[in-house]
Amino acid sequence: MSTPRLARATLVAFDLTGGPTRESMGRMLQVVSDDTTRLMAGEPTLTDTAAYTVDPAIPVVISWGLGHGFLTKLGLAAQAPPGFGPVPLAGDQAFCDGDILLHVESQSALLVSHAVRQITRTMEPFGAVRWTQHGFVDSAPDSLRTGRNLFGQIDGTANPRTPEDFDDQVWMSDGPRWSRGGTQIVVRRIEMNLPTWDSISEAEKEKSIGRRLSDGAPLTGRVESDPMDLDAKDAAGRLMIPLNAHARRATSQGTVQKFLRRPFNYDDVAPGGLSSHGMMFLAYTTNIAERFSPVLARLTAVDALNKWTTPVGSATFVIPPAWPAGSFLAQELIEG
Ligand code: HEM
């Protein structure tokens, strides 16, 4: 997560099948941990069906999340870290929830596909795929510039940057031992209506966020890193960053409501050959209930962007910390 953005990403959510037990989950977590370690080192998995595809010169980053369903199916709900729980969404549930989340990123679409396929084969005896989402980001691995999303906006400016920010906002330091050093992720699939967005003026687009399209600077500032001046008015006495502007509504009230946003874009073929555009909005936080949910509630109530965006999926997971050699993902949870 504090690793650089990689251009291609796939998320796969699995549902556990066949009456999972701690014993069977221990076996599953051991084999997927082994697959993960090998693929991230540029090596094939033990049962790889396309072993020559791997390439140690091209990084593959793989992370895992455990959902509310994983904990409850194993009778481990009391082991959930503070503030962790579902962020429900009404309507179609096709992109909601899941017991386990697999997240693969690479600069190479081939290597993402390969890793997902091999791990999905390993998962077959334990779980069924619930939903999958492929996507991409605007990323140059050696660049520090903030990427753009499908609306053409610079997206990610107000993110944590320093190790201290990450320790405060992202990495859990309290709660059950198995989860300490990990994080909580909220995944929201958000459709973006590009035809209607494309039909409005640049000024209207900028007002809906409160930042300039050209360089991401606040409408009250000069450069991207300038803080927003939420009181500044124009010559006619109107607030320069409108009351319903997304960045104004989203910005932290106090010091707690901060988290890391690392969304990726999707551009899928929909029925009839049309494209379905949107964002897999990924938020990483120490505590969903305290830090993320109040911001989501504010934006759901009032946000100029709501005119062009529709949430169509929602899922949450605990991402345990990296496991040391000789151990496996969430071993302390399973054996604790
Ligand atoms: C398709 C949906 C969305 C789009 C296109 C979008 C776009 C943006 C853009 C362009 C910015 C300003 C630059 C930046 O600081 O990154 C921003 C800021 C922000 N967004 Fe979103 N966003 C979306 C959904 C959400 C959601 C669902 C949340 C949380 C529930 C959220 C939370 C935030 C926060 C916390 C900020 C920083 C505010 C600040 O302190 O300045 N966004 N977003």
Side-chain angles (χ1 to χ4, degrees):
M1 213 142 337
S2 38
T3 54
R5 308 298 308 272
L6 300 175
R8 299 291 183 151
T10 294
L11 296 180
V12 186
F14 297 90
D15 278 338
L16 297 175
T17 49
T21 60
R22 277 206 200 188
E23 199 269 321
S24 69
M25 288 301 97
R27 267 185 289 125
M28 178 193 78
L29 291 167
Q30 277 183 55
V31 282
V32 297
S33 298
D34 186 69
D35 283 2
T36 301
T37 305
R38 288 172 195 274
L39 290 165
M40 285 182 62
E43 295 167 13
T45 66
L46 282 180
T47 56
D48 211 305
T49 51
Y52 297 113
T53 305
V54 297
D55 184 345
I58 306 178
V60 174
V61 175
I62 300 171
S63 64
W64 290 91
L66 304 180
H68 190 64
F70 182 95
L71 297 173
T72 49
K73 284 178 186 171
L74 292 185
L76 292 170
Q79 287 295 316
F84 178 73
V87 175
L89 182 72
D92 187 355
Q93 300 292 297
F95 281 90
C96 288
D97 304 328
D99 296 333
I100 299 185
L101 179 74
L102 165 66
H103 180 171
V104 182
E105 287 191 11
S106 176
Q107 291 301 103
S108 156
L110 181 73
L111 290 185
V112 171
S113 172
H114 170 259
V116 167
R117 183 159 62 102
Q118 299 308 325
I119 292 176
T120 304
R121 289 180 63 251
T122 300
M123 283 290 294
E124 258 165 33
F126 307 101
V129 172
R130 182 182 175 90
W131 54 262
T132 301
Q133 181 69 60
H134 305 293
F136 53 91
V137 293
D138 168 17
S139 93
D142 55 349
S143 153
L144 288 176
R145 90 185 148 74
T146 322
R148 289 186 186 270
N149 61 31
L150 290 175
F151 281 158
Q153 302 155 330
I154 290 184
D155 194 346
T157 304
N159 260 338
R161 309 244 167 227
T162 64
E164 294 75 30
D165 285 347
F166 272 78
D167 284 346
D168 173 41
Q169 299 176 30
V170 180
W171 307 123
M172 293 182 281
S173 57
D174 56 5
R177 276 177 56 96
W178 71 275
S179 60
R180 279 184 224 160
T183 183
Q184 302 180 20
I185 184 175
V186 181
V187 180
R188 303 272 289 179
R189 188 175 196 259
I190 305 177
E191 258 174 33
M192 294 161 65
N193 191 329
L194 295 192
T196 54
W197 174 258
D198 289 345
S199 70
I200 63 171
S201 70
E202 184 159 328
E204 201 177 335
K205 288 177 180 173
E206 292 184 331
K207 280 196 173 142
S208 72
I209 285 285
R211 290 181 173 273
R212 281 203 299 266
L213 280 171
S214 57
D215 56 8
L219 294 178
T220 55
R222 273 180 323 107
V223 292
E224 188 190 340
S225 56
D226 281 346
M228 293 186 283
D229 179 349
L230 295 174
D231 300 320
K233 297 196 170 145
D234 63 17
R238 283 181 303 246
L239 283 167
M240 292 178 74
I241 299 180
L243 288 174
N244 64 354
H246 177 76
R248 175 195 283 273
R249 296 288 300 164
T251 202
S252 177
Q253 313 277 296
T255 52
V256 172
Q257 295 168 8
K258 289 174 179 252
F259 44 84
L260 171 70
R261 290 168 290 128
R262 281 187 67 152
F264 61 80
N265 311 296
Y266 66 83
D267 181 351
D268 294 345
V269 179
L274 293 169
S275 246
S276 146
H277 297 103
M279 175 187 278
M280 288 308 272
F281 175 88
L282 308 184
Y284 297 89
T285 171
T286 56
N287 185 313
I288 291 173
E290 269 181 16
R291 290 184 178 270
F292 176 84
S293 297
V295 179
L296 180 67
R298 260 201 319 275
L299 292 175
T300 305
V302 178
D303 175 6
L305 267 195
N306 290 347
K307 201 166 165 188
W308 303 280
T309 59
T310 313
V312 290
S314 186
T316 58
F317 303 89
V318 179
I319 301 183
W323 56 94
S327 165
F328 60 86
L329 173 72
Q331 185 169 2
E332 274 188 292
L333 172 68
I334 293 298
E335 295 178 353

